[in-house]
Amino acid sequence: MTGRVFLVLLLGIVASAALTQWLAVNERSRALQRYRDFHALERAEQLITTADAMPDSARPTFLVAAARGTVRLELSDAPQAQTLAPTEFSTALQQRLGAGFKLGPLAEHLAACDQPRQPTSIFASSQWKGTCEAINIYLHDGQVLKLSVLPPRAPPAASTNSELVSLLPFLLSIAFLAYLVARMSMRPLKQLAQAAKDLGNDINHPPVVLSGAAEIRQASAAFNAMQARIRQHITQRTQMLAAITHDLQTPLTRLRLRLEKVGDKELQQRLIDDLSAMQQMVKEGLDLARSMDSTETMQALDLDALLDSVCSDATDTGQQVALRGRAAMALMGRPLAIRRCLVNLIDNAVKYGQYANVTVERLVGSSRISIRDGGPGIAPDQMARVFEPFYRIETSRSRESGGTGLGLTIARNIAEQHGANVTLANHQDGGLEVTLVLPEYYVGN
C-alpha cells in the first residue's frame, strides 16, 4: 500500500512539474517570438527607408550588405508576381512605413521556414512559429525590392544530459517528499491492519493506541470498541456453556445412578448408551466453546517436542500412531489449545481410519503436519461440510464410534486462532489426509 501511494504521489508531482515546465517553456518561446517579430519590424523599416533614400548609384552596394542576416533586402526576382492578402507582419510594417510605400506579400514559401531547429529544452518546440515570409516592396522611384524575414539563427545546441542533471536534484527532492508523505499516511493504517491481525491471534491483545489524523483515531476507537464487544461476547458464551454443562452434570449423574435400578437389562443398556452420548455431547460442546476462548497465554513452543508428546500419549492409550520427520522450529501458541487441536486430528484419524501416520516437514517460514489414516476417505462434496458443528457423515461415522461432529470444528477454530489452516484431501493411495500448516515464530515478532 505504501509503495502504491508513493508511486501515485511521485507520478502526480512529476507530471505537475513537467506540465508547469512545458507551459513555462512555451510562454518563453512565445515571448521570444514576439520580441523577434518586433525586432524584424524595426530592422525591415530601417533597411527599406535607407534604401529608398539612397541614390540609384549607391543602392546596389547597400543591397549587397542588406542581403545578409535574417532580415534581408534584395532586388526582387519576380517584380510582377501575384501578391497575397496582407499578413499581420506586412500590415504592421505598412503602418510604420506610411502610405508612400506599397507592400505585396508573396506566395513564395521560404525553405528556411520549414527547417527544424535544435531545441534548447526537452519541452521546447523544434519548429519556428514566428514570422517567416517574403514581401515585395515598391519604392517611391518604382524599383521593386524583396524583403525576406527568416527565422533567427539557431542558438548553440544545449546538452540534454546537462538539463537532466540539473533536474536530478529536483526529482530526488520530490521523491523524498513523496516517500515521507506516503509513509506518514500509511503508518496509522499499517498499525490498524497489524492490530486486526493480532486480534485474530489473540482477542486479549492490547487495544490500539489512538494517534494520527482524526479519522484514523476514530477508526482505531471503533476497532477497540469492537474488540471489547467480541471479548465480552466470547466470555459470556463460554461462561454460559460452562454453567449449562456444570448444571447438567448433576442431573445426568443422578439419571445414571437411577438407571442402574432398571430391571430390563437391554433397556437399561440402551438408556445408559443414550445418556453417555448426551454427556459426550455436553463435554464436546464445552470444548467447542473453549476453542474460541483465547485467555490462555501465548508462548513459544517447540513443535517437535509437542508432537512427540501427543503421539506418545496416543500410543500409550493403545492407538496406532506413527510419527516421522522433524520441523526443527518454534511456534507461538497456546499450549493446551495446540495440544487439543493435534489430539482431535489424531483421534479423528484413529476412530475412522484405524491408524494415524503423522508426518512433519519444514517449509519456508512454516511447518506442514500431515495426518493420514486408513479409512475410506470423504467424498469431495463433503470436504467443506465436515468442519460444520455437529455434522457427521453417517456412512462412515456411527454413534457407536463416539463421534459428535465437533472434533474437526474445534481443531479448525484453534488453528485459525494461531494463523494456521487445516485442509482435507483423499490420498492417492487411499485414506484421508489432513494437513495442518503452522507459521514459524521469530524472536522479536
Side-chain angles (χ1 to χ4, degrees):
M1 185 65 177
T2 302
R4 290 195 294 269
V5 173
F6 167 72
L7 187 60
V8 170
L9 286 175
L10 181 61
L11 292 179
I13 296 175
V14 170
S16 299
L19 178 61
T20 302
Q21 183 70 7
W22 179 78
L23 293 174
V25 169
N26 279 271
E27 180 60 29
R28 183 179 63 182
S29 299
R30 286 192 293 269
L32 289 175
Q33 290 167 11
R34 289 193 295 268
Y35 173 78
R36 167 63 183 169
D37 290 348
F38 176 77
H39 173 73
L41 279 174
E42 293 281 347
R43 177 68 174 164
E45 181 184 5
Q46 293 175 1
L47 292 175
I48 293 171
T49 53
T50 302
D52 185 66
M54 282 188 172
D56 294 341
S57 59
R59 187 175 293 171
T61 305
F62 171 76
L63 291 178
V64 171
R68 301 172 182 175
T70 56
V71 180
R72 302 176 182 178
L73 188 65
E74 53 191 344
L75 290 175
S76 177
D77 52 359
Q80 305 301 322
Q82 185 178 2
T83 59
L84 302 176
T87 63
E88 182 178 355
F89 181 82
S90 65
T91 301
L93 183 60
Q94 182 72 67
Q95 292 175 354
R96 284 174 169 267
L97 295 175
F101 294 89
K102 181 181 178 183
L103 278 66
L106 299 176
E108 176 185 354
H109 187 73
L110 302 177
C113 297
D114 296 329
Q115 291 180 356
R117 298 169 57 83
Q118 181 68 32
T120 58
S121 170
I122 57 176
F123 299 98
S125 174
S126 61
Q127 193 70 35
W128 173 253
K129 298 181 180 179
T131 300
C132 186
E133 57 185 90
I135 305 174
N136 271 347
I137 309 296
Y138 300 89
L139 303 181
H140 288 90
D141 59 3
Q143 188 173 20
V144 181
L145 303 179
K146 177 182 175 183
L147 176 70
S148 300
V149 182
L150 304 177
R153 294 183 179 92
S159 174
T160 306
N161 293 333
S162 62
E163 186 175 10
L164 293 178
V165 169
S166 64
L167 288 176
L168 185 60
F170 170 73
L171 294 176
L172 291 177
S173 63
I174 63 174
F176 179 71
L177 177 62
Y179 173 76
L180 286 182
V181 172
R183 185 175 179 181
M184 292 173 58
S185 301
M186 292 298 104
R187 183 184 301 169
L189 294 179
K190 283 186 176 180
Q191 293 175 349
L192 194 59
Q194 184 62 39
K197 180 180 179 181
D198 294 337
L199 177 64
N201 297 330
D202 183 9
I203 192 63
N204 296 311
H205 193 273
V208 182
V209 178
L210 302 183
S211 62
E215 293 79 4
I216 299 297
R217 292 197 302 271
Q218 184 178 1
S220 300
F223 182 85
N224 291 338
M226 177 192 68
Q227 179 181 359
R229 288 194 298 269
I230 294 175
R231 186 189 301 118
Q232 182 182 11
H233 171 71
I234 292 176
T235 302
Q236 289 177 348
R237 186 183 64 174
T238 303
Q239 292 175 349
M240 179 185 65
L241 289 176
I244 293 175
T245 302
H246 180 270
D247 293 342
L248 284 176
Q249 290 296 336
T250 301
L252 289 175
T253 302
R254 288 200 301 265
L255 283 174
R256 191 176 191 91
L257 293 174
R258 291 171 181 174
L259 286 176
E260 298 294 337
K261 300 179 181 180
V262 176
D264 189 339
K265 295 300 181 180
E266 182 179 356
L267 177 60
Q268 180 190 50
Q269 188 59 44
R270 290 180 179 178
L271 292 175
I272 290 176
D273 291 343
D274 289 339
L275 185 61
S276 299
M278 291 175 60
Q279 289 177 323
Q280 184 66 20
M281 291 182 66
V282 170
K283 178 181 178 298
E284 294 197 8
L286 182 60
D287 289 340
L288 176 61
R290 287 174 177 168
S291 69
M292 297 298 294
D293 187 15
S294 57
T295 56
E296 187 183 358
T297 304
M298 299 279 286
Q299 55 184 279
L301 304 173
D302 186 338
L303 181 59
D304 290 323
L306 182 61
L307 270 174
D308 184 70
S309 174
V310 171
C311 293
S312 297
D313 292 345
T315 303
D316 292 341
T317 59
Q319 293 180 332
Q320 189 177 348
V321 179
L323 174 62
R324 291 183 302 174
R326 287 183 58 83
M329 62 164 262
L331 64 93
M332 177 61 72
R334 303 177 183 88
L336 295 180
I338 291 292
R339 174 178 286 272
R340 185 183 300 121
C341 175
L342 294 172
V343 168
N344 282 9
L345 294 178
I346 293 175
D347 285 347
N348 195 75
V350 173
K351 283 180 182 178
Y352 310 116
Q354 291 77 48
Y355 63 85
N357 289 334
V358 182
T359 304
V360 58
E361 58 182 329
R362 178 76 173 271
L363 302 177
V364 178
S366 63
S367 65
R368 178 168 59 196
I369 302 172
S370 301
I371 303 174
R372 181 189 169 194
D373 62 34
I378 298 178
D381 58 343
Q382 302 289 327
M383 292 287 186
R385 299 198 61 187
V386 294
F387 288 106
E388 299 176 4
F390 300 106
Y391 182 80
R392 301 166 69 248
I393 303 177
E394 296 301 333
T395 58
S396 61
R397 302 182 182 188
S398 63
R399 190 171 298 275
E400 286 75 11
S401 66
T404 59
L406 291 176
L408 289 178
T409 305
I410 294 172
R412 185 183 62 175
N413 289 344
I414 296 174
E416 290 178 348
Q417 287 184 5
H418 291 79
N421 66 309
V422 181
T423 57
L424 305 178
N426 290 319
H427 197 274
Q428 58 182 359
D429 296 330
L432 180 69
E433 186 175 48
V434 182
T435 302
L436 174 65
V437 179
L438 291 164
E440 185 174 3
Y441 166 64
Y442 296 96
V443 177
N445 283 6

PDB file of all heavy atoms in Angstrom, residues 63-92:
ATOM      1  N   LEU A  63      22.522  47.181 -51.072  1.00  0.00           N
ATOM      2  CA  LEU A  63      21.733  45.931 -51.082  1.00  0.00           C
ATOM      3  C   LEU A  63      22.609  44.704 -50.882  1.00  0.00           C
ATOM      4  O   LEU A  63      22.142  43.678 -50.372  1.00  0.00           O
ATOM      5  CB  LEU A  63      20.970  45.816 -52.404  1.00  0.00           C
ATOM      6  CG  LEU A  63      19.822  46.834 -52.597  1.00  0.00           C
ATOM      7  CD1 LEU A  63      19.175  46.662 -53.967  1.00  0.00           C
ATOM      8  CD2 LEU A  63      18.796  46.692 -51.489  1.00  0.00           C
ATOM      9  N   VAL A  64      23.876  44.802 -51.275  1.00  0.00           N
ATOM     10  CA  VAL A  64      24.776  43.674 -51.024  1.00  0.00           C
ATOM     11  C   VAL A  64      24.925  43.443 -49.525  1.00  0.00           C
ATOM     12  O   VAL A  64      24.897  42.304 -49.032  1.00  0.00           O
ATOM     13  CB  VAL A  64      26.147  43.927 -51.674  1.00  0.00           C
ATOM     14  CG1 VAL A  64      27.154  42.859 -51.238  1.00  0.00           C
ATOM     15  CG2 VAL A  64      26.034  43.940 -53.184  1.00  0.00           C
ATOM     16  N   ALA A  65      25.067  44.543 -48.781  1.00  0.00           N
ATOM     17  CA  ALA A  65      25.181  44.405 -47.323  1.00  0.00           C
ATOM     18  C   ALA A  65      23.833  44.076 -46.687  1.00  0.00           C
ATOM     19  O   ALA A  65      23.765  43.350 -45.670  1.00  0.00           O
ATOM     20  CB  ALA A  65      25.740  45.698 -46.737  1.00  0.00           C
ATOM     21  N   ALA A  66      22.741  44.575 -47.262  1.00  0.00           N
ATOM     22  CA  ALA A  66      21.412  44.344 -46.682  1.00  0.00           C
ATOM     23  C   ALA A  66      20.896  42.932 -46.944  1.00  0.00           C
ATOM     24  O   ALA A  66      19.880  42.515 -46.349  1.00  0.00           O
ATOM     25  CB  ALA A  66      20.415  45.356 -47.246  1.00  0.00           C
ATOM     26  N   ALA A  67      21.559  42.187 -47.857  1.00  0.00           N
ATOM     27  CA  ALA A  67      21.101  40.825 -48.171  1.00  0.00           C
ATOM     28  C   ALA A  67      21.663  39.794 -47.203  1.00  0.00           C
ATOM     29  O   ALA A  67      21.576  38.600 -47.459  1.00  0.00           O
ATOM     30  CB  ALA A  67      21.481  40.474 -49.605  1.00  0.00           C
ATOM     31  N   ARG A  68      22.246  40.245 -46.117  1.00  0.00           N
ATOM     32  CA  ARG A  68      22.793  39.336 -45.124  1.00  0.00           C
ATOM     33  C   ARG A  68      21.916  39.353 -43.872  1.00  0.00           C
ATOM     34  O   ARG A  68      21.167  40.287 -43.638  1.00  0.00           O
ATOM     35  CB  ARG A  68      24.215  39.735 -44.756  1.00  0.00           C
ATOM     36  CG  ARG A  68      25.174  39.752 -45.947  1.00  0.00           C
ATOM     37  CD  ARG A  68      26.512  40.331 -45.547  1.00  0.00           C
ATOM     38  NE  ARG A  68      27.431  40.393 -46.680  1.00  0.00           N
ATOM     39  CZ  ARG A  68      28.638  40.941 -46.634  1.00  0.00           C
ATOM     40  NH1 ARG A  68      29.082  41.469 -45.489  1.00  0.00           N
ATOM     41  NH2 ARG A  68      29.396  40.955 -47.712  1.00  0.00           N
ATOM     42  N   GLY A  69      22.055  38.332 -43.075  1.00  0.00           N
ATOM     43  CA  GLY A  69      21.290  38.258 -41.830  1.00  0.00           C
ATOM     44  C   GLY A  69      19.949  37.568 -42.029  1.00  0.00           C
ATOM     45  O   GLY A  69      19.661  36.973 -43.069  1.00  0.00           O
ATOM     46  N   THR A  70      19.118  37.690 -41.026  1.00  0.00           N
ATOM     47  CA  THR A  70      17.817  37.028 -41.075  1.00  0.00           C
ATOM     48  C   THR A  70      16.713  37.947 -41.581  1.00  0.00           C
ATOM     49  O   THR A  70      15.619  37.482 -41.878  1.00  0.00           O
ATOM     50  CB  THR A  70      17.445  36.520 -39.668  1.00  0.00           C
ATOM     51  OG1 THR A  70      17.469  37.613 -38.750  1.00  0.00           O
ATOM     52  CG2 THR A  70      18.432  35.443 -39.198  1.00  0.00           C
ATOM     53  N   VAL A  71      16.978  39.225 -41.651  1.00  0.00           N
ATOM     54  CA  VAL A  71      16.049  40.172 -42.295  1.00  0.00           C
ATOM     55  C   VAL A  71      16.805  40.753 -43.481  1.00  0.00           C
ATOM     56  O   VAL A  71      17.720  41.581 -43.312  1.00  0.00           O
ATOM     57  CB  VAL A  71      15.606  41.280 -41.324  1.00  0.00           C
ATOM     58  CG1 VAL A  71      14.644  42.245 -42.029  1.00  0.00           C
ATOM     59  CG2 VAL A  71      14.944  40.674 -40.098  1.00  0.00           C
ATOM     60  N   ARG A  72      16.417  40.294 -44.676  1.00  0.00           N
ATOM     61  CA  ARG A  72      17.189  40.608 -45.878  1.00  0.00           C
ATOM     62  C   ARG A  72      16.371  41.491 -46.823  1.00  0.00           C
ATOM     63  O   ARG A  72      15.152  41.317 -46.948  1.00  0.00           O
ATOM     64  CB  ARG A  72      17.584  39.327 -46.599  1.00  0.00           C
ATOM     65  CG  ARG A  72      18.396  38.374 -45.731  1.00  0.00           C
ATOM     66  CD  ARG A  72      18.670  37.071 -46.461  1.00  0.00           C
ATOM     67  NE  ARG A  72      19.415  36.133 -45.631  1.00  0.00           N
ATOM     68  CZ  ARG A  72      19.753  34.910 -46.013  1.00  0.00           C
ATOM     69  NH1 ARG A  72      19.390  34.475 -47.239  1.00  0.00           N
ATOM     70  NH2 ARG A  72      20.428  34.134 -45.198  1.00  0.00           N
ATOM     71  N   LEU A  73      17.132  42.384 -47.518  1.00  0.00           N
ATOM     72  CA  LEU A  73      16.529  43.242 -48.539  1.00  0.00           C
ATOM     73  C   LEU A  73      17.390  43.125 -49.790  1.00  0.00           C
ATOM     74  O   LEU A  73      18.595  43.389 -49.757  1.00  0.00           O
ATOM     75  CB  LEU A  73      16.478  44.695 -48.054  1.00  0.00           C
ATOM     76  CG  LEU A  73      15.699  45.654 -48.952  1.00  0.00           C
ATOM     77  CD1 LEU A  73      14.210  45.267 -48.992  1.00  0.00           C
ATOM     78  CD2 LEU A  73      15.847  47.097 -48.459  1.00  0.00           C
ATOM     79  N   GLU A  74      16.740  42.714 -50.898  1.00  0.00           N
ATOM     80  CA  GLU A  74      17.474  42.499 -52.147  1.00  0.00           C
ATOM     81  C   GLU A  74      16.548  42.789 -53.306  1.00  0.00           C
ATOM     82  O   GLU A  74      15.342  43.016 -53.133  1.00  0.00           O
ATOM     83  CB  GLU A  74      17.966  41.056 -52.199  1.00  0.00           C
ATOM     84  CG  GLU A  74      16.863  40.048 -51.986  1.00  0.00           C
ATOM     85  CD  GLU A  74      17.391  38.626 -51.762  1.00  0.00           C
ATOM     86  OE1 GLU A  74      18.565  38.370 -52.057  1.00  0.00           O
ATOM     87  OE2 GLU A  74      16.613  37.783 -51.292  1.00  0.00           O
ATOM     88  N   LEU A  75      17.149  42.817 -54.524  1.00  0.00           N
ATOM     89  CA  LEU A  75      16.337  43.035 -55.707  1.00  0.00           C
ATOM     90  C   LEU A  75      15.357  41.885 -55.886  1.00  0.00           C
ATOM     91  O   LEU A  75      15.708  40.721 -55.700  1.00  0.00           O
ATOM     92  CB  LEU A  75      17.235  43.154 -56.943  1.00  0.00           C
ATOM     93  CG  LEU A  75      18.094  44.446 -57.033  1.00  0.00           C
ATOM     94  CD1 LEU A  75      19.029  44.366 -58.234  1.00  0.00           C
ATOM     95  CD2 LEU A  75      17.200  45.679 -57.115  1.00  0.00           C
ATOM     96  N   SER A  76      14.128  42.218 -56.270  1.00  0.00           N
ATOM     97  CA  SER A  76      13.111  41.197 -56.433  1.00  0.00           C
ATOM     98  C   SER A  76      13.333  40.460 -57.741  1.00  0.00           C
ATOM     99  O   SER A  76      13.593  41.080 -58.774  1.00  0.00           O
ATOM    100  CB  SER A  76      11.729  41.833 -56.410  1.00  0.00           C
ATOM    101  OG  SER A  76      10.742  40.857 -56.636  1.00  0.00           O
ATOM    102  N   ASP A  77      13.239  39.142 -57.683  1.00  0.00           N
ATOM    103  CA  ASP A  77      13.379  38.334 -58.896  1.00  0.00           C
ATOM    104  C   ASP A  77      12.047  38.124 -59.584  1.00  0.00           C
ATOM    105  O   ASP A  77      11.980  37.516 -60.638  1.00  0.00           O
ATOM    106  CB  ASP A  77      14.020  36.994 -58.559  1.00  0.00           C
ATOM    107  CG  ASP A  77      13.290  36.282 -57.429  1.00  0.00           C
ATOM    108  OD1 ASP A  77      12.301  36.853 -56.901  1.00  0.00           O
ATOM    109  OD2 ASP A  77      13.702  35.162 -57.043  1.00  0.00           O
ATOM    110  N   ALA A  78      10.997  38.605 -58.978  1.00  0.00           N
ATOM    111  CA  ALA A  78       9.652  38.490 -59.583  1.00  0.00           C
ATOM    112  C   ALA A  78       8.864  39.751 -59.266  1.00  0.00           C
ATOM    113  O   ALA A  78       7.974  39.750 -58.412  1.00  0.00           O
ATOM    114  CB  ALA A  78       8.946  37.248 -59.074  1.00  0.00           C
ATOM    115  N   PRO A  79       9.212  40.866 -59.945  1.00  0.00           N
ATOM    116  CA  PRO A  79       8.538  42.139 -59.607  1.00  0.00           C
ATOM    117  C   PRO A  79       7.036  42.124 -59.875  1.00  0.00           C
ATOM    118  O   PRO A  79       6.271  42.788 -59.169  1.00  0.00           O
ATOM    119  CB  PRO A  79       9.244  43.150 -60.504  1.00  0.00           C
ATOM    120  CG  PRO A  79      10.526  42.497 -60.921  1.00  0.00           C
ATOM    121  CD  PRO A  79      10.255  41.038 -60.967  1.00  0.00           C
ATOM    122  N   GLN A  80       6.604  41.347 -60.882  1.00  0.00           N
ATOM    123  CA  GLN A  80       5.192  41.333 -61.230  1.00  0.00           C
ATOM    124  C   GLN A  80       4.454  40.129 -60.646  1.00  0.00           C
ATOM    125  O   GLN A  80       3.360  39.781 -61.095  1.00  0.00           O
ATOM    126  CB  GLN A  80       5.057  41.316 -62.766  1.00  0.00           C
ATOM    127  CG  GLN A  80       5.771  42.448 -63.475  1.00  0.00           C
ATOM    128  CD  GLN A  80       5.264  43.806 -63.023  1.00  0.00           C
ATOM    129  OE1 GLN A  80       4.055  43.989 -62.794  1.00  0.00           O
ATOM    130  NE2 GLN A  80       6.181  44.784 -62.917  1.00  0.00           N
ATOM    131  N   ALA A  81       5.059  39.464 -59.679  1.00  0.00           N
ATOM    132  CA  ALA A  81       4.420  38.275 -59.089  1.00  0.00           C
ATOM    133  C   ALA A  81       3.122  38.652 -58.398  1.00  0.00           C
ATOM    134  O   ALA A  81       2.962  39.769 -57.866  1.00  0.00           O
ATOM    135  CB  ALA A  81       5.364  37.600 -58.095  1.00  0.00           C
ATOM    136  N   GLN A  82       2.190  37.695 -58.441  1.00  0.00           N
ATOM    137  CA  GLN A  82       0.903  37.924 -57.791  1.00  0.00           C
ATOM    138  C   GLN A  82       1.077  37.929 -56.271  1.00  0.00           C
ATOM    139  O   GLN A  82       1.741  37.084 -55.711  1.00  0.00           O
ATOM    140  CB  GLN A  82      -0.089  36.835 -58.204  1.00  0.00           C
ATOM    141  CG  GLN A  82      -1.496  37.065 -57.656  1.00  0.00           C
ATOM    142  CD  GLN A  82      -2.459  35.990 -58.127  1.00  0.00           C
ATOM    143  OE1 GLN A  82      -2.052  35.073 -58.831  1.00  0.00           O
ATOM    144  NE2 GLN A  82      -3.708  36.119 -57.753  1.00  0.00           N
ATOM    145  N   THR A  83       0.508  38.928 -55.647  1.00  0.00           N
ATOM    146  CA  THR A  83       0.657  39.066 -54.201  1.00  0.00           C
ATOM    147  C   THR A  83      -0.568  38.516 -53.478  1.00  0.00           C
ATOM    148  O   THR A  83      -1.654  38.404 -54.056  1.00  0.00           O
ATOM    149  CB  THR A  83       0.872  40.534 -53.818  1.00  0.00           C
ATOM    150  OG1 THR A  83      -0.257  41.287 -54.271  1.00  0.00           O
ATOM    151  CG2 THR A  83       2.150  41.068 -54.442  1.00  0.00           C
ATOM    152  N   LEU A  84      -0.361  38.218 -52.184  1.00  0.00           N
ATOM    153  CA  LEU A  84      -1.436  37.679 -51.349  1.00  0.00           C
ATOM    154  C   LEU A  84      -2.075  38.787 -50.535  1.00  0.00           C
ATOM    155  O   LEU A  84      -1.663  39.966 -50.600  1.00  0.00           O
ATOM    156  CB  LEU A  84      -0.860  36.605 -50.417  1.00  0.00           C
ATOM    157  CG  LEU A  84      -0.168  35.413 -51.098  1.00  0.00           C
ATOM    158  CD1 LEU A  84       0.424  34.497 -50.031  1.00  0.00           C
ATOM    159  CD2 LEU A  84      -1.153  34.661 -51.982  1.00  0.00           C
ATOM    160  N   ALA A  85      -3.071  38.407 -49.786  1.00  0.00           N
ATOM    161  CA  ALA A  85      -3.712  39.368 -48.883  1.00  0.00           C
ATOM    162  C   ALA A  85      -2.713  39.787 -47.810  1.00  0.00           C
ATOM    163  O   ALA A  85      -1.786  39.042 -47.470  1.00  0.00           O
ATOM    164  CB  ALA A  85      -4.941  38.734 -48.247  1.00  0.00           C
ATOM    165  N   PRO A  86      -2.836  40.985 -47.283  1.00  0.00           N
ATOM    166  CA  PRO A  86      -1.899  41.468 -46.264  1.00  0.00           C
ATOM    167  C   PRO A  86      -1.850  40.520 -45.064  1.00  0.00           C
ATOM    168  O   PRO A  86      -2.861  40.010 -44.604  1.00  0.00           O
ATOM    169  CB  PRO A  86      -2.470  42.835 -45.873  1.00  0.00           C
ATOM    170  CG  PRO A  86      -3.276  43.257 -47.056  1.00  0.00           C
ATOM    171  CD  PRO A  86      -3.855  42.003 -47.629  1.00  0.00           C
ATOM    172  N   THR A  87      -0.628  40.297 -44.599  1.00  0.00           N
ATOM    173  CA  THR A  87      -0.432  39.478 -43.410  1.00  0.00           C
ATOM    174  C   THR A  87      -0.321  40.380 -42.191  1.00  0.00           C
ATOM    175  O   THR A  87      -0.298  41.614 -42.307  1.00  0.00           O
ATOM    176  CB  THR A  87       0.833  38.625 -43.554  1.00  0.00           C
ATOM    177  OG1 THR A  87       1.958  39.506 -43.658  1.00  0.00           O
ATOM    178  CG2 THR A  87       0.766  37.741 -44.796  1.00  0.00           C
ATOM    179  N   GLU A  88      -0.252  39.754 -41.006  1.00  0.00           N
ATOM    180  CA  GLU A  88      -0.134  40.542 -39.772  1.00  0.00           C
ATOM    181  C   GLU A  88       1.161  41.330 -39.764  1.00  0.00           C
ATOM    182  O   GLU A  88       1.188  42.505 -39.384  1.00  0.00           O
ATOM    183  CB  GLU A  88      -0.189  39.602 -38.564  1.00  0.00           C
ATOM    184  CG  GLU A  88      -0.112  40.321 -37.227  1.00  0.00           C
ATOM    185  CD  GLU A  88      -0.209  39.360 -36.059  1.00  0.00           C
ATOM    186  OE1 GLU A  88      -0.428  38.158 -36.278  1.00  0.00           O
ATOM    187  OE2 GLU A  88      -0.036  39.829 -34.902  1.00  0.00           O
ATOM    188  N   PHE A  89       2.255  40.693 -40.231  1.00  0.00           N
ATOM    189  CA  PHE A  89       3.547  41.387 -40.253  1.00  0.00           C
ATOM    190  C   PHE A  89       3.556  42.499 -41.294  1.00  0.00           C
ATOM    191  O   PHE A  89       4.024  43.620 -41.030  1.00  0.00           O
ATOM    192  CB  PHE A  89       4.655  40.368 -40.551  1.00  0.00           C
ATOM    193  CG  PHE A  89       6.035  40.964 -40.568  1.00  0.00           C
ATOM    194  CD1 PHE A  89       6.724  41.163 -39.392  1.00  0.00           C
ATOM    195  CD2 PHE A  89       6.635  41.339 -41.773  1.00  0.00           C
ATOM    196  CE1 PHE A  89       7.998  41.726 -39.399  1.00  0.00           C
ATOM    197  CE2 PHE A  89       7.900  41.899 -41.779  1.00  0.00           C
ATOM    198  CZ  PHE A  89       8.592  42.092 -40.589  1.00  0.00           C
ATOM    199  N   SER A  90       3.037  42.226 -42.505  1.00  0.00           N
ATOM    200  CA  SER A  90       3.040  43.238 -43.559  1.00  0.00           C
ATOM    201  C   SER A  90       2.137  44.411 -43.199  1.00  0.00           C
ATOM    202  O   SER A  90       2.436  45.566 -43.522  1.00  0.00           O
ATOM    203  CB  SER A  90       2.608  42.614 -44.890  1.00  0.00           C
ATOM    204  OG  SER A  90       1.249  42.169 -44.816  1.00  0.00           O
ATOM    205  N   THR A  91       1.050  44.147 -42.511  1.00  0.00           N
ATOM    206  CA  THR A  91       0.163  45.227 -42.083  1.00  0.00           C
ATOM    207  C   THR A  91       0.872  46.127 -41.077  1.00  0.00           C
ATOM    208  O   THR A  91       0.790  47.374 -41.165  1.00  0.00           O
ATOM    209  CB  THR A  91      -1.112  44.648 -41.466  1.00  0.00           C
ATOM    210  OG1 THR A  91      -1.771  43.823 -42.432  1.00  0.00           O
ATOM    211  CG2 THR A  91      -2.051  45.751 -41.024  1.00  0.00           C
ATOM    212  N   ALA A  92       1.571  45.520 -40.112  1.00  0.00           N
ATOM    213  CA  ALA A  92       2.296  46.322 -39.126  1.00  0.00           C
ATOM    214  C   ALA A  92       3.418  47.115 -39.787  1.00  0.00           C
ATOM    215  O   ALA A  92       3.674  48.283 -39.432  1.00  0.00           O
ATOM    216  CB  ALA A  92       2.859  45.416 -38.045  1.00  0.00           C
TER     217      ALA A  92
END
